[in-house]
Amino acid sequence: MSPSRHLVISAGLLLFIAAPLLQGQQRGNPAPAAQANAERPATPIPPEKNSVTPHEMTLGGKTLRYTATAGNLLIQGDDEQPNASVFYVAYTLDGVTDIRTRPITFLYNGGPGSASMWLHIGSIGPVRVLTSSPQATGPGPYQVVANQYTLLDKSDLVFIDAVGTGYSRPVGRGTMRDFAGVDQDVRAFQKFIYRYVSVNHRWNSPKFLFGESYGTTRSAALVDALENSGMTMNGVILLSSILNYFVQAPGLDSAFVGYLPSYAAIAWQYEEVPHKSPNLKAFLDEVRAYARGPYAEALAQGHNLPPAQVEATAAKLASYTGLSVQYIIEANLRVSPARFRKELLRDQRAILGRYDARFEGTDIDAAGETPGYDPSNTGVEGAFVTALHDYLDRELKYTSDETYYPSGPGVNQMWDHTHRLGSVVPTGGQGQGGGMRDAYVAGDLADAMRKNPRLRVLSLNGLFDLATPFFITEYDLAHIELEPKLRSNIEFAYYPSGHMVYLNLDALKQLKTDLAAFYTKVAPGVESKTD
């Protein structure tokens, strides 16, 4: 299978789609931070410390020597006193003669409330944990091996754990209320990046942001915040994006339109598509056109859609998704991702993964409406958690009395999704400096691109991802109202994988190739040192 890549999507082609809230991302009711801070005793402020270890690996037949630094940096609150200790692991290439020519990339996962564990030892770092993907990975011992697809030959890498995740913690008078929110989180990452580049003398290095999932939400707002405060960025890599949040409710059909091409890709992969086309790209282009056209028009009529059109629409959807005509009619032409995951292979008594539909599992029975769990999460989580702990201890020589939180306890539940728009939305009644109840950050990214016309964006998408579907990302990035001369600054790449694209080894190989080309284009003067 050879999915199409690098398609620049022009504005105005797609129907209104806004990405639904990721499962479990519920809004809390944050108390005012100042009042909460005043009422609690201060948490001891730890010293900044790190473990520095030398390493080497063979990459492309050459020796790559690098230094790993695992440690913490303190960031300050509004009172100029430390309010958080942020844990990070940095990999820097040895022997670089001029660090001003050496790119540096800041990487993080999403959640919100997820540590950077997944990107750190699963994707483009110098090591990766081996899994049985897309089969469930069994119990340990697990292997962490040199990663032949690392990006370290192109850029230094800094993996950052958001406050409340990994080993990162509020300290002093800081509380999680100071960090558990869209804008609060952006401020914390901005402060950390400022601190890191200052301590390590990297202000004049080419700089990139690399976020996955909610990490793309963070990146879109963060790059604008950095640009507006004088730190110009070279590039932003968005892996499995969610750039526009809204709450699903009856009468809102855009999500069903947005998911259709992902359903079709998954059905094609499982050979559940009648008269399967051998060309996946052509097939998905046809499904995109149907989704934004006849399907959207049919849903817009609601229950007034004539019966003959209901049947015709259901038949067309069945030909794309592998679901039965009767099931689609009974679902009122609107099949949710959870229902699709349960229904597609029901006759085989199998359910599909949400993050990656290549993963299969079994439920307590085959009669339910929705899956009881996500086999793409349970299939790899144990390997990542165990392998990271062992790697930090054995290889990086880093130990801590704290508990490492792959997912920060309670962070998701207390998250404040409101986002202050600033100057990025010119219409809609919000006004300058207005706010949105649900985060819309595609406009922040556009604002950064207008102010920095050389900022490049690479959008990476898994075709089998039912958490952040690629068609919705295409819509969001096609509706940021860029002038024609800036539109080519956005590139798209697609992979036969899921949310964590790198879990498919073939996709990881192509991912490295695409990223290497992107870095060469964006920062052509990069220095890579190998022996």
Side-chain angles (χ1 to χ4, degrees):
M1 177 167 46
S2 299
S4 63
R5 309 189 323 266
H6 304 305
L7 300 178
V8 177
I9 307 300
S10 61
L13 293 180
L14 303 179
L15 176 72
F16 173 75
I17 305 171
L21 287 174
L22 295 181
Q23 181 176 321
Q25 294 181 355
Q26 301 298 321
R27 186 179 300 103
N29 296 299
Q35 179 181 350
N37 291 357
E39 294 175 352
R40 65 181 296 277
T43 302
I45 298 173
E48 292 182 340
K49 64 176 185 178
N50 56 49
S51 173
V52 180
T53 50
H55 303 268
E56 67 177 52
M57 64 180 295
T58 301
L59 189 65
K62 297 181 179 180
T63 300
L64 196 71
R65 293 186 173 87
Y66 64 94
T67 297
T69 303
N72 71 303
L73 288 176
L74 298 173
I75 60 174
Q76 295 181 347
D78 294 338
D79 60 359
E80 299 186 352
Q81 297 299 312
N83 69 345
S85 172
V86 180
F87 178 72
Y88 69 96
V89 177
Y91 299 97
T92 54
L93 194 65
D94 294 345
V96 174
T97 55
D98 187 355
I99 58 175
R100 294 175 299 177
T101 67
R102 175 70 177 162
I104 185 167
T105 303
F106 299 96
L107 304 97
Y108 34 77
N109 279 90
S114 174
S116 63
M117 169 184 75
W118 307 99
L119 282 174
H120 185 182
I121 60 169
S123 64
I124 55 171
V127 301
R128 66 183 183 91
V129 59
L130 300 184
T131 71
S132 302
S133 171
Q135 306 300 319
T137 302
Y142 302 104
Q143 280 188 281
V144 175
V145 300
N147 185 6
Q148 295 301 304
Y149 313 107
T150 181
L151 193 63
L152 188 57
D153 58 334
K154 290 291 184 180
S155 173
D156 291 339
L157 307 171
V158 184
F159 296 90
I160 310 166
D161 287 342
V163 178
T165 76
Y167 287 130
S168 298
R169 298 288 189 274
V171 300
R173 293 289 179 181
T175 74
M176 274 311 303
R177 298 293 185 187
D178 298 315
F179 306 100
V182 177
D183 294 346
Q184 300 92 313
D185 173 81
V186 165
R187 286 194 294 272
F189 270 80
Q190 182 180 4
K191 290 175 181 178
F192 174 85
I193 291 173
Y194 267 54
R195 182 103 176 93
Y196 183 91
V197 299
S198 297
V199 169
N200 293 280
H201 315 292
R202 301 302 297 267
W203 270 93
N204 211 17
S205 297
K207 291 179 281 295
F208 294 77
L209 302 178
F210 191 132
E212 177 184 322
S213 194
Y214 182 86
T216 65
T217 313
R218 176 184 296 129
S219 286
L222 177 58
V223 69
D224 197 38
L226 291 169
E227 294 279 352
N228 287 334
S229 60
M231 181 179 284
T232 303
M233 306 301 289
N234 295 72
V236 177
I237 296 99
L238 306 172
L239 174 59
S240 305
S241 298
I242 179 163
L243 304 175
N244 189 2
Y245 279 74
F246 84 109
V247 178
Q248 294 187 81
L252 297 180
D253 291 326
S254 54
F256 299 108
V257 176
Y259 275 101
L260 180 58
S262 294
Y263 295 163
I266 294 163
W268 188 94
Q269 172 73 3
Y270 280 100
E271 299 189 346
E272 293 290 332
V273 176
H275 314 296
K276 176 181 175 179
S277 167
N279 188 323
L280 179 59
K281 177 187 180 303
F283 175 61
L284 292 181
D285 284 345
E286 177 185 333
V287 178
R288 284 181 175 100
Y290 180 78
R292 72 172 70 95
Y295 182 44
E297 293 168 5
L299 295 185
Q301 295 188 52
H303 62 216
N304 294 322
L305 188 68
Q309 254 186 285
V310 170
E311 294 185 9
T313 302
K316 194 68 172 177
L317 293 175
S319 73
Y320 290 146
T321 65
L323 304 180
S324 72
V325 172
Q326 186 61 31
Y327 183 84
I328 293 171
I329 291 176
E330 290 173 354
N332 294 334
L333 309 180
R334 296 161 176 85
V335 178
S336 69
R339 282 181 164 180
F340 179 82
R341 292 169 50 213
K342 183 74 172 184
E343 184 65 21
L344 184 66
L345 301 184
R346 188 186 293 272
D347 60 342
Q348 302 174 38
R349 301 184 66 87
I351 60 173
L352 304 180
R354 174 175 176 262
Y355 287 111
D356 191 336
R358 296 178 307 127
F359 285 76
E360 299 178 38
T362 58
D363 250 342
I364 191 170
D365 61 40
E369 272 292 289
T370 59
Y373 64 100
D374 179 1
S376 61
N377 181 45
T378 59
V380 297
E381 185 175 31
F384 273 79
V385 172
T386 300
L388 180 72
H389 279 84
D390 187 64
Y391 172 68
L392 290 176
D393 179 33
R394 290 179 180 271
E395 299 296 327
L396 301 192
K397 311 302 180 185
Y398 185 89
T399 59
S400 174
D401 293 333
E402 298 280 356
T403 299
Y404 187 92
Y405 293 134
S407 296
V411 175
N412 203 299
Q413 290 72 18
M414 71 172 69
W415 199 261
D416 175 10
H417 282 271
T418 57
H419 175 49
R420 191 168 183 81
L421 292 173
S423 61
V424 302
V425 177
T427 60
Q430 296 288 346
Q432 297 290 317
M436 294 189 72
R437 183 170 177 267
D438 296 302
Y440 169 75
V441 296
D444 298 73
L445 180 61
D447 188 58
M449 295 178 72
R450 293 187 190 99
K451 294 173 179 175
N452 175 10
R454 298 186 65 178
L455 178 66
R456 308 284 302 205
V457 176
L458 178 60
S459 173
L460 309 171
N461 303 272
L463 295 175
F464 313 134
D465 177 7
L466 288 175
T468 57
F470 63 88
F471 192 49
I472 292 177
T473 296
E474 292 170 0
Y475 173 87
D476 288 338
L477 290 175
H479 285 75
I480 56 178
E481 304 302 331
L482 293 178
E483 292 299 312
K485 63 183 178 181
L486 289 179
R487 294 173 194 169
S488 62
N489 284 14
I490 302 177
E491 301 175 54
F492 290 80
Y494 303 86
Y495 305 92
S497 193
H499 196 68
M500 294 177 283
V501 162
Y502 41 84
L503 290 181
N504 180 341
L505 184 58
D506 290 334
L508 177 58
K509 295 177 183 178
Q510 188 59 52
L511 175 65
K512 168 58 191 290
T513 299
D514 294 341
L515 286 169
F518 180 72
Y519 275 72
T520 299
K521 180 189 304 180
V522 176
V526 300
E527 178 169 340
S528 300
K529 186 80 172 179
T530 56
D531 296 334

